[in-house]
């Protein structure tokens, strides 16, 4: 069955067209086109928008806003993103990064969506025509969402505050066994005063490691200091099983790789 493609100059018009049955929004196409090619007959028409703001990156006074159509390649090459660029480079190979968009990554099911893990650690806000939504709320409700994501905003963490690790069996562009992102704030003596840790592949979408976050507070990033956090890292997780790794394996190696991230 042939797919119809409709292009709109504004997100407002694209949102209106997206209300029709059988329509899906087309960003970079790495998810929806693949699904259609694999026989997803629920998709009969693709909707896209060329509104310029969807493809812009704005960095000002430590605040970042990235349009939903910005590609992983553009994020990876941005001079002001530092360690965050590493998370964008973790998405597939060069051909995928040239197509995959920020907005699409928010909807990518595990074991994909590595950049969304980074955004969750950054406490990002997701914007649609209806307003802004905390990313954790957005991810929890994304399956029923029909509103087009327009941008994602967040505050740049201080130098050294953001950390990201992707574990894969095929390097450098293999599918994730798991991914971890963290934003940590430390006092002058090295004690953790604030911690956000996000996990990929530990559920069907990115999730917070709340028990580990709590256990890190007041501790130092030493082997002994992080031990309580590693001991509770698996609380609340429901890892996926796929051809890459079993749920059991993912749960077993999570504390190992979280420890490596925290001690890096």
């Amino acid at each position: 069955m042939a797919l119809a493609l409709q292009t709109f100059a504004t997100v407002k018009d694209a949102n209106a067209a997206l209300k029709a049955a059988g329509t899906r929004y087309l960003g970079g196409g790495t998810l929806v086109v693949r699904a259609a090619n694999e026989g997803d007959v629920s998709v009969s028409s693709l909707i896209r928008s060329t509104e310029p703001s969807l493809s812009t990156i704005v960095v000002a006074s430590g605040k970042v806003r990235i349009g939903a159509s910005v590609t992983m390649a553009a994020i990876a090459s941005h001079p002001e993103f530092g360690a965050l660029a590493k998370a964008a480079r973790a998405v597939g190979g060069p051909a995928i990064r040239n197509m995959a968009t920020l907005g699409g990554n928010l909807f990518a099911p595990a074991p994909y969506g590595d950049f969304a893990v980074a955004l969750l650690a950054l406490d990002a806000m997701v914007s649609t025509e209806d307003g802004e939504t905390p990313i954790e709320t957005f991810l929890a409700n994304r399956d029923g969402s029909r509103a087009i994501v327009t941008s994602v905003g967040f505050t740049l963490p201080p130098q050294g505050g953001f950390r990201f690790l992707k574990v894969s069996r095929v390097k450098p562009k293999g599918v994730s066994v798991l991914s971890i992102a963290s934003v940590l704030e430390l006092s002058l003596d090295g004690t953790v005063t604030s911690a956000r840790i996000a996990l990929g592949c530990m559920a069907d979408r990115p999730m917070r490691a709340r028990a580990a976050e709590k256990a890190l507070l007041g501790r130092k990033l030493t082997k002994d200091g992080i031990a309580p956090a590693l001991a509770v890292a698996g609380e609340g997780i429901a890892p996926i099983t796929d051809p890459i790794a079993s749920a059991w394996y993912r749960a077993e190696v999570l504390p190992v790789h979280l420890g490596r991230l925290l001690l890096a």
Side-chain angles (χ1 to χ4, degrees):
M1 180 179 66
L3 287 175
L5 175 61
Q6 302 178 69
T7 301
F8 297 91
T10 67
V11 171
K12 182 177 180 180
D13 290 339
N15 262 323
L18 199 59
K19 294 178 181 178
T23 57
R24 291 277 294 276
Y25 189 77
L26 176 68
T30 58
L31 295 176
V32 67
V33 173
R34 175 181 175 180
N37 287 341
E38 291 178 346
D40 186 349
V41 295
S42 68
V43 183
S44 59
S45 181
L46 299 177
I47 307 296
R48 64 190 293 265
S49 174
T50 56
E51 187 166 313
S53 61
L54 293 174
S55 301
T56 61
I57 298 175
V58 178
V59 182
S61 302
K63 303 289 185 179
V64 177
R65 184 158 296 276
I66 306 176
S69 294
V70 173
T71 65
M72 293 296 108
I75 297 171
S77 63
H78 197 282
E80 295 188 62
F81 286 163
L84 181 60
K86 180 180 179 181
R89 288 193 294 270
V91 178
I96 292 294
R97 289 195 293 274
N98 283 334
M99 298 169 56
T101 62
L102 173 69
N105 206 261
L106 292 174
F107 291 91
Y112 308 108
D114 296 306
F115 197 76
V117 175
L119 293 173
L120 179 56
L122 289 164
D123 198 18
M125 299 292 289
V126 179
S127 295
T128 67
E129 278 199 317
D130 298 327
E132 288 190 328
T133 304
I135 187 169
E136 195 164 2
T137 303
F138 176 85
L139 290 172
N141 300 308
R142 71 181 184 184
D143 294 345
S145 174
R146 294 289 289 174
I148 297 171
V149 173
T150 55
S151 65
V152 174
F154 54 89
T155 300
L156 278 175
Q159 184 74 23
F162 175 80
R163 305 179 185 198
F164 179 83
L165 174 67
K166 173 180 174 177
V167 180
S168 62
R169 288 176 166 168
V170 178
K171 303 186 186 314
K173 59 181 182 178
V175 176
S176 289
V177 171
L178 62 88
S179 55
I180 311 171
S182 69
V183 175
L184 306 175
E185 294 181 13
L186 308 179
S187 64
L188 292 178
D189 68 352
T191 300
V192 177
T193 58
S194 175
R196 284 182 65 94
I197 301 172
L199 308 174
C201 297
M202 294 298 118
D204 66 342
R205 65 201 68 200
M207 63 169 289
R208 293 272 297 280
R210 294 188 180 277
E213 293 172 353
K214 184 177 180 179
L216 276 178
L217 297 179
R219 312 283 296 189
K220 294 187 177 181
L221 297 181
T222 63
K223 185 176 180 180
D224 291 337
I226 68 172
L230 303 188
V232 298
E235 287 190 12
I237 65 173
I240 64 167
T241 290
D242 61 9
I244 303 300
S246 67
W248 173 86
Y249 179 79
R250 285 185 161 103
E252 287 294 304
V253 300
L254 170 60
V256 175
H257 293 292
L258 177 58
R260 290 175 179 173
L261 178 79
L262 295 175
L263 294 175

